[in-house]
Amino acid sequence: MKNKKIFLVLFIALMLAQLIVPAYMIVHRELVLHNGKQYKFRVQPVDPYHPLRGRYVSVHLGDLQMTVPKDEKYYGNQAIYALITIDDMGYARFTGISRTVPENGEYIKTKVAYVYDENGGQKHVQIEAPFDRYYMEEKMAPQAEREYNKHVRDRNDNVYVTVKVLSGSAVLERLYIEGMTIEDYIKSNKG
Amino acid sequence: MSRKNVKWLYAEIPKLVSEGILSGDMADKLHQYYGEGDEGKGLKTALTIFGVLGTILIAAGIILILAKNWSELSRELRTVIAFLPLVAGQLLALYTYLKKKDSVGWREASSSFLMIAVGAAISLIGQTYNLPGDFDGFMLLWMLLGLPLVYLLDATLPALFYMIGITVWAGSVQSNNGDALFFWALLGLLTPYIYKKIKQNQYSNPSVFLCWSLSAVMCAAIGITLEKVLPGLWIIVYCGYFSCLYLLGELRFKYSPTIWQQPFKVVGTLGMLGVSFILTYEWPWNHIGWRNYRHTAGYNEIAGYFDYVVLAGVVLTAFYLLYAHWRKRDAYSVLWGSAVVLSLVGYTAAQYADSMAAMLLFNAYLLLLGIVTVIKGVRIKNLGVTNAGMLIITLLALLRFFDSDLGFVERGIAFILVGAGFLVSNILILKKRGEGHEK
């Protein structure tokens, strides 16, 4: 009988854990969306041979390669903070990385993808993009991706994503083409 | 044993007990071992299987419908929807735990549903918030949130999901230049359950499913987690692993009524034959050993140490099992399980002398295995065993004649000899059987 009670407690604990994990994911992102600061990031063309596509548009950021002093130690999968700067046109980009939480300025927490040294005594760190996809309705996604690539390749400056950032966490909000959300853009182009 | 035979046995038991040949205790044990003899049991099993399959299909269907990105729905509504199957699965599991704990069907179905729902909830939230694709983290989280169901609801299917899930996780981590050694700790979390099931009844469906899955998953995971800093180490590790499986199967599952109930022996035999056939070529033996140690940046030397732990583990276990069979004077099993010894000899030979020697060694080994198996088959008058032995010889002959420079005449003669061997051994058995009947 006692055993049964202990098991029931464990059972309820498991159920709570199963609920808390997704709930935490939601609350965390909602906080970012509600209280975060909005940035616009320009995007780049995507590799058209991505295998798992269909339900989202792959979004590629430029400027993911950072040059760092040679004596700073970086390694793959290391947690780092990417510093955000806003250019004259109002777009955000990453301009540096830090291994500790930056004291001032906005930043997004991400990971080191890989590190490579160059002969000239420079060291480069490739960082992982903190956002890389935009989910859409499955019929719309492939068409959206075609439009995305077309506009980006034509060097259309008007393709960007809006991202909310709060204390190092980033949530991708929307993908824009010509000042319209991609959903609206496709709808208006159809009609 | 077939149902018909069990029925016959159950009809005999009362007579045997009344005449004092069997004790009542023994009769109970027989009943326990063979389970219910009536057809009702088959029907019950079928209903359980279809019930569970149905539940899994329904779960998958619901999730597919939810996975459609309903762009017209608000984010809040989509989040609520992500929780629906999860909460439904939890209520179902809780009901099963409180009211239907004795029903295998309920336990398996509700726990599988919940396991799928956990993964679905997490990935639906990822979709709603455009989270970057962290597949490894997702898999790990999903599996760890599902694993306790195995123990709490005493359910086998979630255990199978878990085994496959952590293997996929390991493959994904390793292919992203990560290190999947943690896989073994994750597998370790399941071992008490597997051990318990085998102890309860090693021939029951749950045990058999778990053992098949365990031997296959470990086979894949060894390949995934080996860091491969020392070239050719896989030869010894895989020979050792399959030797272990075969010998363990022979030692502990020898009297299993059907092949299906001998997962270790079957995987061990097929795996060992597969690896041995690869090793009859020269290429696996080239450029192996310490002299070709990989120092380049892509290889993690520390993780490489684990390779030696795995190596020591499988080799020592295989030697222990070989010794156990040796003590039982089971020369046939010792021969079949000695691939591990040959791989060690071959590895040393290829490293310090000639890769040709190692290759020849495995050719000779397979030929010997074939011949001994044929002889055994003839001796126990079993056509299946005899022909399995002949098949090994034939396959070896085929492989060698396709890559050697022998002329047509030599090849022709060799094939005629092998063919004649087939016929003679089969005729011998039929004749022997005939003699047996005449007596």
Side-chain angles (χ1 to χ4, degrees), chain A residues 3-4 7-8 10-12 14-19 21-23 25-26 29-30 33-34 55 77 111 129-138 171-173 183, chain B residues 67-69 71 75-76 79 83 86-87 90-91 93-94 97-98 114 118 121-122 125-127 129-134 141 145-146 148-149 151-153 176 178:
Chain A
N3 246 352
K4 205 176 170 186
F7 262 73
L8 190 63
L10 288 174
F11 202 100
I12 290 168
L14 171 70
M15 285 172 47
L16 283 177
Q18 288 174 344
L19 291 172
V21 169
M25 289 170 70
I26 292 169
R29 268 75 194 193
E30 283 297 332
L33 285 173
H34 278 104
R55 288 168 44 234
N77 279 330
K111 279 197 280 189
F131 35 86
D132 62 3
R133 58 191 62 193
Y134 181 70
Y135 281 94
M136 291 185 74
E137 207 240 315
E138 60 191 326
V171 178
L172 193 155
E173 278 186 311
E183 290 90 352
Chain B
K68 178 179 159 63
N69 202 331
S71 39
R75 207 170 63 227
E76 289 74 18
T79 350
F83 275 96
L86 178 60
V87 173
Q90 288 189 330
L91 292 177
L94 192 64
Y97 182 76
L98 295 173
L114 181 50
V118 169
I122 299 174
I125 290 163
Q127 182 173 307
Y129 292 95
N130 296 313
L131 301 190
D134 178 13
L141 192 61
L145 284 175
L149 289 172
Y151 289 96
L152 291 170
L153 281 174
N176 289 330

Coordinates of all heavy atoms in Angstrom, one line a residue, chain A residues 3-4 7-8 10-12 14-19 21-23 25-26 29-30 33-34 55 77 111 129-138 171-173 183, chain B residues 67-69 71 75-76 79 83 86-87 90-91 93-94 97-98 114 118 121-122 125-127 129-134 141 145-146 148-149 151-153 176 178:
Chain A
N3 N 3.9 1.4 -1.0 CA 4.6 1.4 -2.3 C 3.7 2.1 -3.3 O 4.2 2.8 -4.1 CB 4.9 -0.1 -2.7 CG 6.4 -0.3 -2.8 OD1 7.1 0.7 -2.6 ND2 6.7 -1.5 -3.0
K4 N 2.4 1.7 -3.3 CA 1.5 2.3 -4.2 C 1.4 3.8 -4.1 O 1.4 4.5 -5.1 CB 0.1 1.6 -4.0 CG -0.7 1.7 -5.3 CD -2.0 1.0 -5.1 CE -2.8 1.3 -6.4 NZ -4.2 0.8 -6.3
F7 N 4.5 5.3 -5.6 CA 4.4 5.3 -7.1 C 3.5 6.4 -7.6 O 3.8 7.0 -8.6 CB 4.0 3.9 -7.5 CG 5.2 3.0 -7.9 CD1 6.0 2.5 -7.0 CD2 5.4 2.8 -9.3 CE1 7.1 1.8 -7.4 CE2 6.5 2.0 -9.7 CZ 7.4 1.5 -8.7
L8 N 2.4 6.6 -6.9 CA 1.4 7.5 -7.3 C 2.0 8.9 -7.3 O 1.9 9.7 -8.2 CB 0.2 7.5 -6.5 CG -1.0 8.3 -7.0 CD1 -1.5 7.8 -8.3 CD2 -2.2 8.3 -6.0
L10 N 5.2 9.6 -7.6 CA 6.2 9.7 -8.7 C 5.5 9.9 -10.0 O 5.9 10.6 -10.8 CB 7.0 8.4 -8.7 CG 8.0 8.1 -7.6 CD1 8.6 6.8 -7.7 CD2 9.1 9.2 -7.7
F11 N 4.3 9.2 -10.1 CA 3.5 9.3 -11.3 C 3.1 10.8 -11.5 O 3.2 11.4 -12.6 CB 2.3 8.4 -11.2 CG 1.7 8.1 -12.6 CD1 2.0 6.8 -13.1 CD2 0.9 8.9 -13.3 CE1 1.5 6.5 -14.4 CE2 0.4 8.6 -14.5 CZ 0.7 7.4 -15.1
I12 N 2.6 11.4 -10.5 CA 2.1 12.8 -10.6 C 3.3 13.7 -10.8 O 3.2 14.7 -11.6 CB 1.4 13.2 -9.3 CG1 0.0 12.4 -9.3 CG2 1.1 14.7 -9.3 CD1 -0.7 12.4 -8.1
L14 N 6.0 13.0 -12.5 CA 6.3 12.8 -13.9 C 5.4 13.7 -14.8 O 5.8 14.4 -15.7 CB 6.3 11.4 -14.3 CG 6.4 11.2 -15.8 CD1 7.8 11.5 -16.3 CD2 6.1 9.7 -16.2
M15 N 4.1 13.6 -14.4 CA 3.1 14.3 -15.2 C 3.3 15.8 -15.1 O 3.2 16.5 -16.1 CB 1.7 14.0 -14.8 CG 1.2 12.6 -15.2 SD -0.3 12.0 -14.6 CE -1.4 13.4 -14.7
L16 N 3.7 16.3 -13.9 CA 4.0 17.7 -13.8 C 5.2 18.1 -14.6 O 5.2 19.1 -15.3 CB 4.3 18.0 -12.3 CG 3.0 18.1 -11.4 CD1 3.4 18.3 -10.0 CD2 2.1 19.2 -11.9
A17 N 6.2 17.2 -14.6 CA 7.4 17.5 -15.4 C 7.1 17.6 -16.8 O 7.5 18.5 -17.5 CB 8.5 16.5 -15.1
Q18 N 6.2 16.7 -17.3 CA 5.9 16.7 -18.7 C 5.1 17.9 -19.1 O 5.1 18.4 -20.2 CB 5.0 15.4 -19.0 CG 5.8 14.2 -19.0 CD 5.0 12.9 -19.2 OE1 3.8 13.0 -19.0 NE2 5.6 11.8 -19.5
L19 N 4.4 18.5 -18.1 CA 3.7 19.8 -18.4 C 4.5 21.0 -18.2 O 4.4 21.9 -19.0 CB 2.5 19.9 -17.4 CG 1.3 18.9 -17.6 CD1 0.3 19.0 -16.5 CD2 0.7 19.1 -19.0
V21 N 7.8 21.4 -18.6 CA 8.8 21.6 -19.6 C 8.3 22.4 -20.8 O 8.8 23.5 -21.1 CB 9.5 20.3 -20.1 CG1 10.3 20.5 -21.3 CG2 10.4 19.7 -19.0
P22 N 7.2 21.9 -21.4 CA 6.6 22.8 -22.5 C 6.1 24.1 -22.0 O 6.2 25.1 -22.7 CB 5.5 21.9 -23.1 CG 5.3 20.8 -22.2 CD 6.5 20.6 -21.3
A23 N 5.5 24.1 -20.8 CA 5.0 25.4 -20.3 C 6.1 26.4 -20.1 O 6.0 27.6 -20.5 CB 4.3 25.2 -19.0
M25 N 8.9 26.5 -21.8 CA 9.3 26.9 -23.2 C 8.4 28.0 -23.6 O 8.8 29.0 -24.2 CB 9.2 25.7 -24.2 CG 10.2 24.7 -24.0 SD 9.9 23.2 -25.0 CE 10.2 23.9 -26.6
I26 N 7.1 27.9 -23.4 CA 6.1 28.9 -23.8 C 6.3 30.2 -23.1 O 6.4 31.3 -23.7 CB 4.7 28.4 -23.6 CG1 4.4 27.2 -24.6 CG2 3.7 29.5 -23.8 CD1 3.1 26.5 -24.3
R29 N 9.4 32.2 -24.1 CA 9.2 32.9 -25.4 C 8.2 34.0 -25.3 O 8.4 35.1 -25.9 CB 8.9 31.9 -26.5 CG 10.1 31.3 -27.2 CD 10.7 30.3 -26.3 NE 12.1 30.0 -26.8 CZ 12.7 28.9 -26.3 NH1 12.1 28.2 -25.4 NH2 13.9 28.6 -26.7
E30 N 7.1 33.8 -24.5 CA 6.1 34.9 -24.5 C 6.7 36.1 -23.8 O 6.4 37.2 -24.2 CB 4.9 34.4 -23.7 CG 4.0 33.4 -24.5 CD 3.4 34.1 -25.7 OE1 3.2 35.4 -25.7 OE2 3.1 33.5 -26.7
L33 N 8.7 37.9 -26.3 CA 7.8 38.5 -27.3 C 7.2 39.8 -26.7 O 7.0 40.8 -27.4 CB 6.8 37.6 -27.8 CG 7.3 36.5 -28.8 CD1 6.2 35.5 -29.2 CD2 7.8 37.2 -30.1
H34 N 6.8 39.7 -25.5 CA 6.0 40.8 -24.9 C 7.0 42.0 -24.4 O 6.6 43.1 -24.6 CB 5.2 40.4 -23.7 CG 3.9 39.8 -24.1 ND1 3.6 38.4 -24.1 CD2 2.8 40.4 -24.6 CE1 2.4 38.2 -24.6 NE2 1.9 39.3 -24.9
R55 N 7.8 22.6 -44.4 CA 6.9 23.2 -43.5 C 7.5 24.5 -42.9 O 6.8 25.2 -42.2 CB 6.5 22.3 -42.4 CG 5.6 21.2 -42.9 CD 5.4 20.1 -41.9 NE 5.1 20.6 -40.6 CZ 5.9 20.2 -39.5 NH1 6.8 19.4 -39.7 NH2 5.6 20.7 -38.3
N77 N 30.6 24.2 -29.8 CA 29.4 24.0 -28.9 C 29.5 24.9 -27.6 O 28.7 24.7 -26.7 CB 29.3 22.5 -28.5 CG 28.5 21.8 -29.5 OD1 27.7 22.3 -30.2 ND2 28.8 20.5 -29.7
K111 N 25.7 29.6 -29.7 CA 26.8 28.7 -29.5 C 27.9 28.8 -30.6 O 27.6 29.3 -31.7 CB 26.3 27.2 -29.6 CG 25.7 26.8 -28.3 CD 25.6 25.3 -28.2 CE 24.3 24.8 -29.0 NZ 24.1 23.3 -28.7
A129 N 23.5 30.4 -35.8 CA 22.4 31.4 -35.8 C 21.4 31.1 -34.7 O 21.0 29.9 -34.6 CB 21.8 31.3 -37.2
P130 N 21.0 32.1 -34.0 CA 20.1 31.8 -32.9 C 18.7 31.6 -33.4 O 17.8 31.3 -32.7 CB 20.2 33.1 -32.0 CG 20.9 34.1 -32.8 CD 21.6 33.4 -33.9
F131 N 18.4 31.9 -34.7 CA 17.1 31.6 -35.3 C 17.5 31.2 -36.8 O 18.3 31.8 -37.4 CB 16.2 32.7 -35.3 CG 16.8 34.1 -35.4 CD1 17.0 34.6 -36.6 CD2 17.2 34.8 -34.2 CE1 17.7 35.9 -36.7 CE2 17.8 36.0 -34.3 CZ 18.1 36.5 -35.6
D132 N 16.8 30.2 -37.3 CA 17.2 29.8 -38.7 C 16.0 29.3 -39.5 O 16.1 28.7 -40.5 CB 18.2 28.6 -38.6 CG 17.7 27.4 -37.9 OD1 16.5 27.4 -37.5 OD2 18.5 26.4 -37.7
R133 N 14.8 29.4 -38.9 CA 13.6 29.0 -39.7 C 12.3 29.7 -39.3 O 12.2 30.3 -38.2 CB 13.4 27.5 -39.3 CG 13.1 27.2 -37.9 CD 13.2 25.7 -37.6 NE 14.5 25.2 -37.9 CZ 14.7 23.9 -38.0 NH1 13.7 23.0 -37.8 NH2 15.9 23.4 -38.3
Y134 N 11.4 29.8 -40.3 CA 10.2 30.5 -40.1 C 9.1 29.5 -40.5 O 9.0 29.2 -41.7 CB 10.1 31.7 -40.9 CG 8.9 32.5 -40.7 CD1 8.6 33.2 -39.5 CD2 8.0 32.6 -41.8 CE1 7.5 33.9 -39.3 CE2 6.8 33.3 -41.6 CZ 6.5 34.0 -40.4 OH 5.4 34.7 -40.2
Y135 N 8.3 29.0 -39.5 CA 7.3 28.0 -39.9 C 6.1 28.6 -40.6 O 5.6 29.7 -40.2 CB 6.8 27.3 -38.6 CG 7.8 26.2 -38.1 CD1 8.8 26.5 -37.2 CD2 7.8 25.0 -38.7 CE1 9.7 25.6 -36.8 CE2 8.7 24.0 -38.3 CZ 9.6 24.3 -37.3 OH 10.5 23.4 -36.9
M136 N 5.6 27.9 -41.5 CA 4.4 28.4 -42.3 C 3.5 27.2 -42.6 O 3.8 26.0 -42.4 CB 4.8 29.0 -43.6 CG 5.6 30.3 -43.4 SD 5.9 31.0 -45.0 CE 4.3 31.6 -45.4
E137 N 2.3 27.5 -43.1 CA 1.4 26.5 -43.5 C 2.1 25.7 -44.6 O 2.7 26.3 -45.5 CB 0.1 27.2 -44.0 CG -1.1 26.4 -43.8 CD -1.7 26.2 -45.2 OE1 -1.8 27.1 -45.9 OE2 -2.1 25.0 -45.4
E138 N 1.8 24.4 -44.6 CA 2.7 23.5 -45.5 C 2.6 23.8 -47.0 O 3.5 23.6 -47.7 CB 2.4 22.0 -45.2 CG 0.9 21.7 -45.5 CD 0.6 20.3 -44.9 OE1 1.5 19.4 -45.0 OE2 -0.5 20.1 -44.5
V171 N 13.5 35.6 -30.1 CA 12.4 34.8 -30.7 C 12.1 35.5 -32.1 O 11.9 36.7 -32.1 CB 11.2 34.8 -29.9 CG1 10.0 34.1 -30.6 CG2 11.4 34.2 -28.5
L172 N 12.1 34.7 -33.1 CA 11.9 35.3 -34.5 C 10.4 35.5 -34.6 O 9.6 34.6 -34.3 CB 12.3 34.3 -35.5 CG 12.4 34.8 -37.0 CD1 13.4 33.9 -37.7 CD2 11.1 34.7 -37.7
E173 N 10.0 36.7 -34.9 CA 8.6 37.0 -35.0 C 8.0 36.8 -36.4 O 7.2 35.9 -36.6 CB 8.4 38.5 -34.7 CG 8.3 38.9 -33.3 CD 8.0 40.3 -33.1 OE1 8.6 41.2 -33.8 OE2 7.1 40.7 -32.4
E183 N 3.3 36.1 -45.5 CA 2.0 35.6 -45.7 C 1.1 36.5 -46.6 O 0.5 36.1 -47.6 CB 1.2 35.3 -44.4 CG 1.8 34.1 -43.6 CD 2.9 34.6 -42.6 OE1 3.3 35.7 -42.7 OE2 3.3 33.7 -41.8
Chain B
A67 N -0.1 19.3 -36.4 CA 1.2 19.8 -37.0 C 1.0 20.7 -38.2 O 1.9 21.5 -38.5 CB 2.1 18.6 -37.3
K68 N -0.1 20.6 -38.8 CA -0.5 21.5 -39.9 C -0.4 22.9 -39.2 O -1.0 23.1 -38.2 CB -1.9 21.2 -40.4 CG -2.3 22.2 -41.5 CD -3.7 21.8 -42.0 CE -4.4 23.0 -42.6 NZ -3.8 23.5 -43.8
N69 N 0.3 23.8 -39.8 CA 0.5 25.1 -39.2 C -0.8 25.9 -39.5 O -0.9 26.6 -40.5 CB 1.7 25.7 -39.7 CG 2.2 26.8 -38.8 OD1 1.5 27.4 -38.1 ND2 3.5 27.0 -38.8
S71 N -2.2 28.7 -39.7 CA -1.8 30.1 -39.6 C -2.9 31.0 -39.3 O -2.7 32.1 -38.7 CB -1.2 30.6 -40.9 OG -1.8 30.1 -42.0
R75 N -1.6 32.6 -31.8 CA -0.6 31.9 -31.2 C -1.0 31.3 -29.9 O -0.7 30.1 -29.5 CB 0.6 32.9 -30.9 CG 1.9 32.3 -30.8 CD 3.0 33.3 -30.8 NE 2.9 34.1 -29.6 CZ 2.9 35.4 -29.5 NH1 3.1 36.1 -30.6 NH2 2.9 36.1 -28.4
E76 N -1.9 32.0 -29.1 CA -2.4 31.5 -27.9 C -3.2 30.2 -28.1 O -3.0 29.2 -27.3 CB -3.3 32.5 -27.2 CG -2.5 33.7 -26.6 CD -2.1 34.7 -27.7 OE1 -2.6 34.6 -28.8 OE2 -1.2 35.5 -27.5
T79 N -1.0 27.2 -28.8 CA -0.3 26.7 -27.7 C -1.2 25.8 -26.9 O -0.8 24.8 -26.4 CB 0.2 27.9 -26.8 OG1 0.0 29.1 -27.4 CG2 1.6 27.7 -26.4
F83 N -1.1 21.4 -26.0 CA -1.2 20.7 -24.7 C -2.3 19.7 -24.8 O -2.4 18.8 -23.9 CB -1.5 21.7 -23.6 CG -0.3 22.3 -23.1 CD1 0.2 23.5 -23.5 CD2 0.5 21.6 -22.1 CE1 1.4 24.1 -23.0 CE2 1.6 22.1 -21.6 CZ 2.1 23.4 -22.0
L86 N -1.3 16.0 -25.0 CA -0.5 15.7 -23.8 C -1.3 15.5 -22.6 O -1.2 14.4 -21.9 CB 0.5 16.9 -23.6 CG 1.4 16.8 -22.4 CD1 2.3 15.5 -22.5 CD2 2.3 18.0 -22.2
V87 N -2.3 16.4 -22.3 CA -3.1 16.2 -21.2 C -4.0 15.0 -21.3 O -4.2 14.2 -20.4 CB -4.0 17.5 -20.9 CG1 -5.0 17.3 -19.8 CG2 -3.1 18.7 -20.6
Q90 N -2.0 12.0 -20.5 CA -1.8 11.9 -19.1 C -3.0 11.4 -18.3 O -2.8 10.5 -17.5 CB -1.4 13.3 -18.5 CG 0.0 13.7 -19.0 CD 0.5 14.9 -18.3 OE1 -0.3 15.8 -17.9 NE2 1.8 15.1 -18.1
L91 N -4.1 11.9 -18.7 CA -5.4 11.4 -18.0 C -5.6 9.9 -18.3 O -5.9 9.1 -17.4 CB -6.6 12.2 -18.5 CG -6.6 13.7 -18.0 CD1 -7.8 14.4 -18.6 CD2 -6.5 13.7 -16.5
A93 N -3.2 7.7 -19.0 CA -2.2 7.0 -18.3 C -2.6 6.9 -16.8 O -2.4 5.8 -16.2 CB -0.9 7.6 -18.5
L94 N -3.1 8.0 -16.3 CA -3.4 8.0 -14.9 C -4.6 7.0 -14.6 O -4.6 6.3 -13.7 CB -3.8 9.4 -14.4 CG -3.9 9.6 -12.9 CD1 -2.6 9.4 -12.3 CD2 -4.5 11.0 -12.6
Y97 N -3.3 3.7 -14.6 CA -2.5 3.4 -13.4 C -3.5 3.1 -12.3 O -3.2 2.2 -11.5 CB -1.6 4.6 -13.1 CG -0.8 4.3 -11.9 CD1 0.3 3.5 -12.0 CD2 -1.1 4.9 -10.7 CE1 1.1 3.3 -10.9 CE2 -0.4 4.7 -9.6 CZ 0.8 3.9 -9.7 OH 1.5 3.6 -8.5
L98 N -4.6 3.8 -12.2 CA -5.4 3.6 -11.0 C -6.4 2.5 -11.2 O -6.8 1.8 -10.3 CB -6.2 4.9 -10.8 CG -5.3 6.1 -10.3 CD1 -6.2 7.4 -10.3 CD2 -4.7 5.8 -9.0
L114 N 1.0 8.6 -24.5 CA 1.5 9.7 -23.8 C 2.9 10.0 -24.3 O 3.3 11.2 -24.4 CB 1.5 9.4 -22.3 CG 2.1 10.4 -21.4 CD1 1.4 11.8 -21.6 CD2 1.8 10.1 -19.9
V118 N 4.1 13.7 -25.7 CA 5.1 14.5 -25.1 C 6.0 15.1 -26.2 O 6.2 16.3 -26.2 CB 6.0 13.7 -24.1 CG1 7.2 14.5 -23.7 CG2 5.2 13.3 -22.9
A121 N 4.0 17.7 -28.2 CA 3.8 19.0 -27.6 C 5.1 19.9 -27.7 O 5.0 21.0 -28.1 CB 3.5 18.8 -26.1
I122 N 6.2 19.3 -27.4 CA 7.5 20.0 -27.5 C 7.7 20.5 -28.9 O 8.1 21.7 -29.1 CB 8.7 19.2 -27.0 CG1 8.5 18.8 -25.6 CG2 10.0 20.0 -27.2 CD1 9.5 17.8 -25.1
I125 N 5.4 23.4 -30.0 CA 5.7 24.7 -29.4 C 6.9 25.3 -30.2 O 7.0 26.5 -30.5 CB 6.1 24.5 -27.9 CG1 4.8 24.2 -27.2 CG2 6.7 25.8 -27.3 CD1 4.9 23.6 -25.8
G126 N 7.9 24.4 -30.5 CA 9.0 24.8 -31.3 C 8.5 25.5 -32.6 O 9.1 26.5 -33.1
Q127 N 7.5 24.9 -33.2 CA 6.9 25.4 -34.4 C 6.2 26.7 -34.3 O 6.4 27.6 -35.1 CB 6.0 24.3 -35.0 CG 5.3 24.7 -36.3 CD 4.5 23.5 -36.8 OE1 5.0 22.4 -36.8 NE2 3.3 23.7 -37.1
Y129 N 6.9 29.0 -32.1 CA 7.8 30.1 -31.8 C 9.0 30.1 -32.7 O 10.0 30.8 -32.4 CB 8.3 30.0 -30.3 CG 7.1 30.3 -29.4 CD1 6.4 29.3 -28.8 CD2 6.8 31.6 -29.1 CE1 5.3 29.5 -28.0 CE2 5.7 31.9 -28.2 CZ 4.9 30.8 -27.7 OH 3.9 31.1 -26.9
N130 N 8.9 29.4 -33.8 CA 10.0 29.4 -34.8 C 11.4 29.1 -34.2 O 12.4 29.7 -34.5 CB 10.1 30.8 -35.5 CG 8.9 31.0 -36.3 OD1 8.4 30.2 -37.1 ND2 8.3 32.2 -36.2
L131 N 11.4 28.1 -33.2 CA 12.7 27.8 -32.6 C 13.6 27.2 -33.5 O 13.2 26.4 -34.4 CB 12.4 26.9 -31.4 CG 11.5 27.4 -30.3 CD1 11.5 26.5 -29.1 CD2 11.8 28.8 -29.9
P132 N 14.9 27.5 -33.4 CA 15.9 26.9 -34.3 C 16.0 25.4 -34.1 O 15.6 24.9 -33.0 CB 17.2 27.5 -33.9 CG 17.0 28.1 -32.5 CD 15.6 28.4 -32.4
G133 N 16.4 24.7 -35.1 CA 16.3 23.2 -35.1 C 17.4 22.6 -34.2 O 18.4 22.2 -34.7
D134 N 17.1 22.5 -32.9 CA 18.0 21.7 -32.0 C 17.5 20.3 -31.9 O 16.9 20.0 -30.9 CB 18.1 22.5 -30.7 CG 19.0 21.8 -29.7 OD1 19.8 20.9 -30.2 OD2 19.0 22.1 -28.5
L141 N 15.4 15.5 -24.5 CA 14.4 15.9 -23.6 C 13.2 15.0 -23.7 O 12.6 14.5 -22.7 CB 14.0 17.3 -24.0 CG 13.1 18.1 -23.0 CD1 13.8 18.3 -21.7 CD2 12.8 19.5 -23.6
L145 N 11.8 12.5 -20.7 CA 10.4 12.7 -20.1 C 9.5 11.5 -20.3 O 8.5 11.4 -19.7 CB 9.8 14.0 -20.8 CG 10.3 15.3 -20.3 CD1 9.6 16.4 -21.1 CD2 9.9 15.5 -18.8
G146 N 9.9 10.6 -21.3 CA 9.1 9.5 -21.5 C 9.6 8.2 -20.7 O 8.8 7.4 -20.4
P148 N 10.4 7.4 -17.6 CA 9.7 7.0 -16.4 C 8.5 6.2 -16.6 O 8.1 5.3 -15.8 CB 9.4 8.3 -15.6 CG 10.4 9.2 -16.1 CD 10.6 8.9 -17.6
L149 N 7.8 6.4 -17.8 CA 6.6 5.6 -18.1 C 6.8 4.1 -18.1 O 6.0 3.3 -17.7 CB 6.0 6.1 -19.4 CG 5.4 7.4 -19.4 CD1 5.0 7.8 -20.9 CD2 4.1 7.5 -18.6
Y151 N 8.8 2.4 -16.3 CA 8.8 1.8 -15.0 C 7.5 2.0 -14.3 O 7.0 1.1 -13.6 CB 9.9 2.5 -14.1 CG 11.3 2.1 -14.6 CD1 12.0 2.9 -15.5 CD2 11.9 0.9 -14.2 CE1 13.3 2.5 -15.9 CE2 13.1 0.5 -14.6 CZ 13.8 1.3 -15.4 OH 15.1 0.9 -15.9
L152 N 6.9 3.2 -14.4 CA 5.6 3.4 -13.7 C 4.5 2.6 -14.2 O 3.6 2.1 -13.4 CB 5.3 4.9 -13.7 CG 6.2 5.8 -12.9 CD1 6.0 7.3 -13.3 CD2 6.1 5.6 -11.5
L153 N 4.4 2.4 -15.5 CA 3.3 1.6 -16.1 C 3.7 0.2 -16.5 O 3.0 -0.5 -17.1 CB 2.7 2.4 -17.2 CG 1.7 3.5 -16.8 CD1 1.3 4.3 -18.1 CD2 0.5 3.0 -16.1
N176 N 27.1 15.7 -35.8 CA 27.3 17.1 -35.7 C 28.6 17.4 -34.9 O 28.7 18.4 -34.2 CB 26.2 17.8 -34.9 CG 24.9 17.8 -35.7 OD1 24.9 17.9 -36.9 ND2 23.8 17.7 -35.0
G178 N 29.7 16.1 -32.4 CA 29.6 16.1 -30.9 C 30.1 14.7 -30.5 O 30.7 14.0 -31.2

